[in-house]
Amino acid sequence: MFSLKALHKNKTLKYGVPMILLVVGGSFGLREFTQIRYDDQRVKRKLDPSLEAKVNVQKQSVILEEEYMKLEKTNLDEWKNIRGPRPWEDSKEYQEQQRARLNKED
């Protein structure tokens, strides 16, 4: 009976051991919960195999020289920079003004 009272009064056993169990157990618990999260994301990211094949073909088919040839065909000398409407401006009205200005210049 004496040893039980001594153990009950021991602050290390009363406060330290539960705290250590809480920290270590919480660490393992959080690891499991985060693993579930990442597993769920991995499942959601999987694509249909036919769709994935199409996506991979499109990524591989882009060649730098082909893109350069497309840009060479465009006429950049006649390009006009048109500013978009400001947040406080009426966009429809501003677009009509820009179109009218472009038609006058042509």
Side-chain angles (χ1 to χ4, degrees):
M1 196 72 165
F2 173 73
S3 64
L4 220 78
K5 282 185 180 181
L7 290 177
H8 188 65
K9 289 184 178 183
N10 190 345
K11 288 186 178 183
T12 303
L13 290 176
K14 194 172 183 180
Y15 300 111
V17 172
M19 182 64 177
I20 290 174
L21 288 175
L22 182 68
V23 170
V24 173
S27 167
F28 285 108
L30 284 175
R31 186 186 74 200
E32 292 301 318
F33 282 119
T34 55
Q35 188 63 40
I36 292 169
R37 175 182 165 199
Y38 291 124
D39 290 343
D40 186 45
Q41 287 177 355
R42 194 175 306 129
V43 168
K44 285 182 181 178
R45 269 194 232 145
K46 288 189 179 179
L47 295 175
D48 183 38
S50 62
L51 180 63
E52 189 173 358
K54 288 179 183 179
V55 169
N56 287 338
V57 167
Q58 288 176 353
K59 284 182 182 178
Q60 294 171 357
S61 67
V62 175
I63 299 173
L64 188 60
E65 286 81 15
E66 291 176 3
E67 293 298 318
Y68 179 73
M69 294 306 243
K70 288 179 189 176
L71 283 174
E72 262 189 347
K73 292 178 185 176
T74 59
N75 188 2
L76 297 178
D77 294 332
E78 296 178 10
W79 180 77
K80 301 233 187 267
N81 188 14
I82 301 174
R83 160 179 94 72
R86 302 288 192 253
W88 57 86
E89 295 174 340
D90 182 26
S91 65
K92 296 285 184 188
E93 179 183 324
Y94 188 77
Q95 288 174 0
E96 290 172 5
Q97 288 175 358
Q98 289 293 329
R99 287 187 187 122
R101 188 177 300 149
L102 279 177
N103 289 337
K104 286 180 185 177
E105 290 176 6
D106 289 338

